[in-house]
Amino acid sequence: MSKQQNEKVILITGASSGIGAATVQKVVAAGHKAVITARSADKLNALAERLGTDKVLPVTANVSKLADISNVVQQAKQRFGRLDVVFANAGTGLNTAGIADGDPDEWQTMLDVNVNGLLFTAKASLPALKETQGHFIVTSSVAGKITLQGSVYGASKWFAYGFGQNLAAEMKQWNGRCTTICPGMVNTPFFDEAKPDKLQPEDIADAVMFAISANSRCDVREITLMPAN
């Protein structure tokens, strides 16, 4: 397809709910194309139907499997011809906090998504992004910048933060850009109880839109958002 002025093809992981789903809506409203992925086929397909299958390509995948996310990138290029932005947003948390009381099996599941998922998403998409001098965006957290007693989740977000900084330096070699987004508490399905007075998923989606719409001379390396409350 021919590239319309300012139109971008944007791949979003963890797109079935929360921050990911909010970002899909903002992306499409701004006139971009979205390739959306998560493990929940039903939610992805419903989102694509609602926003328009001409604009949204749903591809079911588990980001902790390199073959899965490589397939998503391949389908994105087949459908839209290129890839301009990747929002590596998929993440998960833990039910049991701390090291002494923590569940190693639960740690492994989380690290597969929060660490390997980031690595595999970047590994699979960087060749396509290099072709377009594109943009990689990482969802880290304020938890990845502070000390939280015994928090394995927080440590995984420290990885995400450092990974985003290091990837930015690597992508700079070919005029690519990388942004690490660090939200404070966000009202998402991540929590058992609603947090209506905290950040909303749309706030993080707005930060993504700000980063990708910045002038090409401006490499937005990091955005931190905190609830006003």
Side-chain angles (χ1 to χ4, degrees), residues 18 54 71 111 120 127 144 214 217 219 227:
D54 56 325
N71 177 59
L111 293 174
F120 294 159
R217 68 177 174 265
D219 187 1

Side-chain angles (χ1 to χ4, degrees), residues 10 21 23-24 30-31 44 47 53 65 69-70 94-95 99 110 130 133 135 139 143 146 149 155-156 196-197 207 221:
I10 302 170
T23 305
V24 177
L44 289 179
L47 190 57
T53 53
K65 299 183 184 299
I69 195 65
S70 295
L94 298 170
N95 292 318
I99 306 297
M110 182 195 68
K130 193 171 184 178
Q133 294 186 339
H135 198 153
T139 299
I146 62 175
Q149 179 178 312
S156 77
D197 61 332
R221 290 289 182 93

Side-chain angles (χ1 to χ4, degrees), residues 8-87:
K8 298 180 186 293
V9 178
I10 302 170
L11 191 163
I12 300 168
T13 73
S16 61
S17 64
I19 292 168
T23 305
V24 177
Q25 295 181 67
K26 298 268 187 184
V27 159
V28 172
H32 304 303
K33 299 291 193 293
V35 181
I36 62 174
T37 187
R39 289 176 295 178
S40 175
D42 290 347
K43 290 181 180 179
L44 289 179
N45 291 333
L47 190 57
E49 289 290 337
R50 181 158 59 85
L51 297 177
T53 53
D54 56 325
K55 302 169 189 143
V56 181
L57 172 66
V59 186
T60 308
N62 182 342
V63 294
S64 66
K65 299 183 184 299
L66 179 58
D68 276 19
I69 195 65
S70 295
N71 177 59
V72 177
V73 172
Q74 182 180 12
Q75 291 204 39
K77 291 195 70 178
Q78 286 176 350
R79 173 70 178 275
F80 296 122
R82 69 184 194 280
L83 191 58
D84 299 302
V85 179
V86 172
F87 181 26

Side-chain angles (χ1 to χ4, degrees), residues 87-206:
F87 181 26
N89 168 69
T92 189
L94 298 170
N95 292 318
T96 307
I99 306 297
D101 296 328
D103 180 349
D105 290 335
E106 200 178 25
W107 295 345
Q108 186 63 61
T109 299
M110 182 195 68
L111 293 174
D112 279 344
V113 176
N114 292 8
V115 174
N116 288 337
L118 270 183
L119 290 169
F120 294 159
T121 300
K123 180 70 173 175
S125 64
L126 280 187
L129 292 178
K130 193 171 184 178
E131 291 174 0
T132 59
Q133 294 186 339
H135 198 153
F136 195 92
I137 302 175
V138 175
T139 299
S140 179
S141 171
V142 168
K145 302 174 70 176
I146 62 175
T147 298
L148 292 171
Q149 179 178 312
S151 177
V152 182
Y153 168 79
S156 77
K157 289 302 183 178
W158 276 85
F159 174 86
Y161 181 80
F163 176 73
Q165 303 298 311
N166 293 350
L167 184 60
E170 179 175 342
M171 292 179 69
K172 183 181 179 182
Q173 296 175 353
W174 40 266
N175 295 322
R177 295 188 282 180
C178 181
T179 303
T180 303
I181 297 182
C182 300
M185 187 175 288
V186 184
N187 184 27
T188 72
F190 187 90
F191 296 103
D192 293 332
E193 296 181 5
K195 309 284 185 182
D197 61 332
K198 303 306 180 185
L199 294 170
Q200 298 301 309
E202 292 76 15
D203 297 325
I204 290 70
D206 284 338

